[in-house]
Amino acid sequence: MRLVFAGTPETALPSLRTLIDSPRHEVVAVVTRPDAQSGRGRKVHPSPVAALAEEAGIEVLRPLKAGDPVFLDRLRTLEPDCCPVVAYGALLPQSALDVPRHGWINLHFSILPAWRGAAPVQHAILHGDEITGATTFQIVKELDAGPVYGVVTEEIRTTDTSGTLLERLSVSGAGLLAATLDGVEDGALEARPQPADGVTIASKINVDDARVDWAKPAMHVDRLIRACAPNPGAWSEFRGHRIKLGPVVPVPGERLAPGEVAVTKTTVLVGTATEAVRLGEVQPQGKRLMGAVEWARGVRPEGKETFE
């Protein structure tokens, strides 16, 4: 099939590479978000999908909105049979959805109808799910509500961050997306409506949501920090300064007041509503990532100082 691939971040790269290498399909163009500023110098860079497409000699379309008439005209000229989507990051109007004869097929990183929305992997970890996965489905106007083609599952490990889990899902999901497109081309695969029950919404987790509440149980603190790694990054304040926090380990039997810091030569503990947790790595505002013990040697917590 002639494909126009839509995606933006690194998460989409395994799928794009798989489709570029597929002997059955031809990626004639990619659609991605416009170039954006990134890095310390705030220089303008292409998205990871744009960079890979340009390296492969594939046309790159960067519409500000997918309903832009110039973009739609170019899309129609390309005559795609199908438009696979992985983390594109923008809404698709009906005028765009109507262009390819097999529609737009999205790879979403949850087992639908659970965790529809922008942050399915983060919410799966935050809410303590044991199993998640990836789903391919036909895009319709309602958010992540289209009929499903296929699913793969993935165990959520107790040490998983959103980053590590998404990395595994992006690889297994790439295989699922390729198999879905093969089945659609063959006419052997039929999309089935999602169940009416079990719908949950995974709204975007912003910086304010990522602030640690030490008055919560250790299990909640652990899940929040892992769910927010690497983005937006869980954080707390110490002596009025913001500090990003890496994953923690609950320590059964160790009790401290919520937020209270206790330091030994080898360990930094912080209290929660239940047992204390051991800090691993921290990143003070404007400084590099460092081990928690190294950080503590620098600030030398005294008495019953606390994270806020």
Side-chain angles (χ1 to χ4, degrees):
M1 289 193 293
R2 288 175 60 83
L3 305 177
V4 171
F5 180 91
T8 299
E10 289 189 10
T11 304
L13 296 186
S15 290
L16 179 55
R17 289 192 184 101
T18 297
L19 296 179
I20 290 173
D21 293 339
S22 171
R24 299 188 55 170
H25 308 292
E26 179 188 8
V27 180
V28 296
V30 302
V31 184
T32 191
R33 300 295 293 151
D35 297 352
Q37 291 180 332
S38 63
R40 287 193 173 184
R42 307 306 296 166
K43 293 182 179 179
V44 175
H45 295 280
S47 74
V49 162
L52 177 57
E54 289 171 344
E55 181 182 318
I58 296 171
E59 180 179 354
V60 178
L61 307 175
R62 298 176 173 89
L64 291 175
K65 294 184 178 180
D68 178 80
V70 174
F71 164 69
L72 291 174
D73 286 344
R74 181 56 185 153
L75 186 63
R76 294 186 188 102
T77 301
L78 289 166
E79 297 183 332
D81 296 304
C82 186
C83 294
V85 184
V86 184
Y88 171 45
L91 295 176
L92 297 165
Q94 194 63 47
S95 55
L97 297 180
D98 290 340
V99 173
R101 64 190 181 96
H102 289 299
W104 296 63
I105 296 178
N106 191 39
L107 174 65
H108 182 76
F109 296 112
S110 78
I111 302 175
L112 293 172
W115 303 129
R116 296 175 179 175
V121 173
Q122 291 169 312
H123 279 272
I125 292 175
L126 181 60
H127 288 82
D129 294 356
E130 295 180 353
I131 299 291
T132 188
T135 303
T136 49
F137 70 96
Q138 188 86 36
I139 293 181
V140 297
K141 191 172 182 179
E142 185 181 352
L143 178 66
D144 297 337
V148 169
Y149 286 105
V151 172
V152 292
T153 60
E154 181 73 37
E155 179 184 0
I156 301 178
R157 302 167 187 169
T158 56
T159 56
D160 265 330
T161 64
S162 288
T164 60
L165 180 54
L166 189 55
E167 184 177 0
R168 296 202 306 277
L169 287 171
S170 68
V171 173
S172 60
L176 173 64
L177 181 59
T180 296
L181 295 173
D182 291 349
V184 168
E185 183 182 37
D186 292 341
L189 198 56
E190 181 181 351
R192 298 181 179 275
Q194 294 184 32
D197 297 329
V199 175
T200 49
I201 303 300
S203 57
K204 182 178 180 179
I205 295 178
N206 60 37
V207 173
D208 290 339
D209 299 325
R211 184 170 190 167
V212 174
D213 181 354
W214 300 101
K216 297 283 188 180
M219 181 181 294
H220 175 88
V221 171
D222 168 42
R223 289 174 181 170
L224 175 69
I225 292 174
R226 289 189 292 113
C228 293
N231 292 309
W235 60 280
S236 188
E237 287 190 351
F238 186 80
R239 296 177 183 169
H241 297 285
R242 183 176 295 193
I243 297 178
K244 280 191 174 183
L245 304 169
V248 299
V249 178
V251 184
E254 290 286 349
R255 297 298 298 266
L256 294 167
E260 183 181 347
V261 180
V263 179
T264 70
K265 290 183 178 180
T266 59
T267 305
V268 178
L269 300 179
V270 184
T272 74
T274 54
E275 67 264 35
V277 297
R278 183 172 68 248
L279 295 187
E281 294 181 318
V282 302
Q283 185 173 13
Q285 194 167 14
K287 297 185 179 180
R288 61 177 176 83
L289 184 69
M290 64 183 70
V293 173
E294 180 186 356
W295 166 79
R297 288 196 193 105
V299 298
R300 297 183 180 181
E302 299 176 355
K304 293 187 176 181
E305 288 195 271
T306 62
F307 277 102
E308 301 293 339

